[in-house]
Amino acid sequence: MRIRALVLVASGAVALSALAVPTAQAATAGPAVTFSSLKVNSGKNIVVGSTAMVTVSATYTVTKPAGLSASSFQTGPVLYRGATLGLNSDDLLGGDAPGTCTASSSTVLKCTAKIQFRPKGSDEDGDLFSTEAGTWKLGALAANTHDSGMTWQGGLGTTHLQRRSTLTVNASPEPVKKGKTITVTGKLARANWDTNTYAGYSTQPVKLQFRKKGSSTYTTLKTIKTTSTGALKTTTTATADGYYRYSFAGTTTTPGVSAAGDYVDVQ
């Protein structure tokens, strides 16, 4: 198990990676709170490139007893994998700081927080490996400010943590005579968080599309698969002036992407 990134407090802010709850304190009760309405990145997938840290916002609601002071605990959203959420979760990701909450009543807090995602690579502070792209569950954590008590709540939704993708296209020859063959090449790649580079995405279905000059709509001509290095190559017949592009629908681990159209003059 690896616990990385956030989090909260037990007599001051501590990172989860450094958190060690002594056996004698393990039974300390956490704050009597519940979480709801958690939304991370406005409900959109989280896409991370090869090097730069990505920070997304989260909003959530905390419900507490009227007599429990909001200053007696801190909270934050977390992403996790595995059957349950807690210190024994298979993987756990959170932000660098606790959330900020505003009371909307004596029992309800409206909160916001930030979650940071860093490709591992050679960065000792990085926490993402390429194998960790995919579906993550959403949960939240509350920690007492005066002792080690923690409250965990999972099952608050899911999100996709994805490796940013790129797609290129080149159609040739340009210009070309009507009825002649056009060769269209390109490459589909995605971020490798382990090496801080972009690498070809192999054996993925990609559509070759055409948009006639003066039109705003692309039409799919055929679907081909990338090679083991992410390369694309196919041919089509020149019929009219227009733009050729490749378009990738995406997977759980990688967002969809379309190349900018490459214009071909047909004579």
Side-chain angles (χ1 to χ4, degrees):
M1 178 190 69
R2 283 177 296 129
I3 297 177
R4 297 166 287 113
L6 179 72
V7 176
L8 301 177
V9 303
S11 301
V14 294
L16 275 177
S17 58
L19 183 61
V21 181
T23 302
Q25 297 178 346
T28 301
V33 303
T34 58
F35 297 90
S36 61
S37 303
L38 174 60
K39 183 169 286 189
V40 175
N41 199 31
S42 300
K44 299 178 293 185
N45 295 336
I46 301 165
V47 180
V48 182
S50 62
T51 57
M53 179 181 76
V54 171
T55 300
V56 302
S57 297
T59 58
Y60 56 99
T61 299
V62 177
T63 301
K64 68 178 187 65
L68 180 64
S69 170
S71 63
S72 68
F73 63 92
Q74 291 185 323
T75 62
V78 290
L79 281 66
Y80 69 101
R81 300 195 295 184
T84 59
L85 172 61
L87 290 178
N88 292 322
S89 296
D90 294 340
D91 286 294
L92 190 61
L93 290 169
D96 294 342
T100 300
C101 298
T102 301
S104 63
S105 74
S106 62
T107 60
V108 177
L109 304 176
K110 298 295 184 179
C111 306
T112 62
K114 302 287 187 182
I115 308 176
Q116 293 77 22
F117 300 89
R118 302 174 177 87
K120 182 60 180 175
S122 59
D123 182 358
E124 63 182 18
D125 295 324
D127 48 41
L128 289 182
F129 293 90
S130 293
T131 56
E132 294 173 332
T135 302
W136 286 72
K137 299 175 184 178
L138 300 177
L141 165 65
N144 293 329
T145 57
H146 59 279
D147 58 42
S148 60
M150 289 187 175
T151 300
W152 302 83
Q153 184 179 333
L156 297 176
T158 60
T159 189
H160 290 144
L161 183 56
Q162 298 182 315
R163 298 160 61 178
R164 185 177 298 279
S165 54
T166 62
L167 186 56
T168 62
V169 67
N170 182 61
S172 63
E174 304 172 53
V176 64
K177 290 185 177 182
K178 186 175 182 178
K180 295 296 185 180
T181 297
I182 294 175
T183 299
V184 188
T185 58
K187 182 173 182 177
L188 174 65
R190 60 177 178 166
N192 185 319
W193 295 334
D194 306 337
T195 61
N196 299 139
T197 60
Y198 278 82
Y201 196 6
S202 66
T203 62
Q204 296 302 307
V206 177
K207 295 177 180 179
L208 173 65
Q209 298 182 325
F210 175 71
R211 176 168 66 87
K212 190 174 181 179
K213 181 180 179 181
S215 171
S216 60
T217 304
Y218 275 95
T219 300
T220 298
L221 302 178
K222 63 175 72 175
T223 299
I224 64 173
K225 284 192 174 182
T226 59
T227 68
S228 60
T229 61
L232 292 157
K233 184 176 181 180
T234 190
T235 59
T236 188
T237 301
T239 58
D241 293 351
Y243 300 83
Y244 292 89
R245 74 175 186 182
Y246 282 118
S247 183
F248 172 60
T251 62
T252 300
T253 63
T254 309
V257 62
S258 295
D262 186 21
Y263 183 76
V264 174
D265 178 17
V266 177
Q267 299 178 343

